[in-house]
Amino acid sequence: MRFLVMAGKLGLAGLFLLSALFPLAWMLIAGFKSKTEVVQTPFQFFPEVWRWENYTQILGDPAFLRSIGVTFVGALLFAALSLVVNSLGAYAFARLDFAFKRTLWVVVITTMFIPGIAIMLTSFIVVTQLGMLDTMAVLVIPGAASGLQVFFLRQYYLGVPVALEEAALIDGAGRWRIFLHIFTPISKGALVVVGVTSFLAFWNAYIWPVLTITDPNLFQIQQYLATFRSDRSSELGLLMAGSTLAALPVILLFLAFQKQIIGGIRISGMK
């Protein structure tokens, strides 16, 4: 009986892995196919001839490399700004007393339930009035503050023993020093989660860059791939190769920080 239960669990896990990894595997293999093999009928998973030149050709495209560079730099800036803004906001709501704190916290929580698309037009009007269109700033600054990330970090900060903070205050430490030397080191796992999720959000962004960026020199990778698909729709092998290379940094990032991400997701109380 135990064997059957174990076999059932393994079967379900295998089915889940297969359904999750199949699209990624197909995209990787399709990057080696010719123009017609990608949509060939009947379906063939593997190409008749492995065309490595698809990957070398897309890597030789200056626009592709430029979009990868722009996306990487922008994602780093966005993640850094998100960490600073959201960690400071979380610390303020977790540890400081100020006027209308409860009301402002309700406002922050409320923003978690507003779909981004609902305020897309308003945000576009604001950045237009500020003259931010076609700049890196319009990609990095809007969206850096997140109610969800403030809530997530606040839960960590609430678990830090009050005695630890009081001891630091008695020793003459200011709020900035307490935040930088006590709260930041012990919440490293949560900060990694916030940084990685912010990086991924920027990397996979599409609608906002399309609305605000028309300069090809500032195209993010998703915008580049969408433009490639519309301009060179017949070259699906190249498109799949470019999509695979675009997904590679995201996969490597998760593999590098998987331990911290899995550990950080557990909102553990520090008693």
Side-chain angles (χ1 to χ4, degrees), residues 144-163:
S146 166
L148 179 61
Q149 292 182 347
V150 170
F151 174 81
F152 178 70
L153 290 172
R154 178 178 174 270
Q155 297 307 111
Y156 262 84
Y157 295 158
L158 287 175
V160 178
V162 176

Side-chain angles (χ1 to χ4, degrees), residues 17-227:
L17 286 176
L18 181 64
S19 61
L21 295 179
F22 179 80
L24 186 62
W26 181 85
M27 182 176 67
L28 172 65
I29 299 299
F32 293 100
K33 293 183 176 181
S34 65
K35 297 179 181 178
T36 56
E37 281 181 317
V38 177
V39 291
Q40 181 178 326
T41 304
F43 174 75
Q44 286 188 347
F45 189 75
F46 294 105
E48 294 181 2
V49 178
W50 293 79
R51 302 178 184 280
W52 293 88
E53 62 268 23
N54 285 349
Y55 284 91
T56 56
Q57 189 173 340
I58 197 69
L59 283 173
D61 185 354
F64 176 79
L65 295 179
R66 184 173 57 244
S67 64
I68 286 284
V70 168
T71 310
F72 185 75
V73 172
L76 286 180
L77 294 174
F78 184 75
L81 185 60
S82 295
L83 283 171
V84 172
V85 171
N86 294 317
S87 61
L88 287 174
Y91 178 73
F93 282 110
R95 293 303 199 184
L96 303 183
D97 291 321
F98 50 89
F100 307 110
K101 177 180 174 180
R102 185 177 296 276
T103 303
L104 291 175
W105 180 240
V106 171
V107 173
V108 172
I109 293 296
T110 303
T111 62
M112 295 168 52
F113 302 98
I114 300 176
I117 195 70
I119 59 172
M120 190 74 72
L121 179 58
T122 306
S123 301
F124 178 76
I125 294 173
V126 170
V127 297
T128 301
Q129 295 295 324
L130 293 175
M132 295 173 64
L133 296 180
D134 274 334
T135 65
M136 182 64 85
V138 79
L139 299 175
V140 173
I141 296 177
S146 166
L148 179 61
Q149 292 182 347
V150 170
F151 174 81
F152 178 70
L153 290 172
R154 178 178 174 270
Q155 297 307 111
Y156 262 84
Y157 295 158
L158 287 175
V160 178
V162 176
L164 190 64
E165 190 175 12
E166 290 176 344
L169 288 171
I170 292 173
D171 287 342
R175 286 293 180 182
W176 281 105
R177 188 175 175 185
I178 292 174
F179 173 75
L180 292 175
H181 295 282
I182 296 178
F183 281 79
T184 300
I186 62 178
S187 58
K188 191 180 298 180
L191 293 176
V192 168
V193 173
V194 170
V196 171
T197 53
S198 298
F199 187 97
L200 296 181
F202 188 94
W203 192 275
N204 294 317
Y206 173 67
I207 297 178
W208 183 250
V210 167
L211 280 176
T212 56
I213 299 296
T214 56
D215 183 359
N217 293 320
L218 288 175
F219 276 6
Q220 290 182 222
I221 185 60
Q222 304 301 336
Q223 195 173 0
Y224 166 84
L225 292 174
T227 304

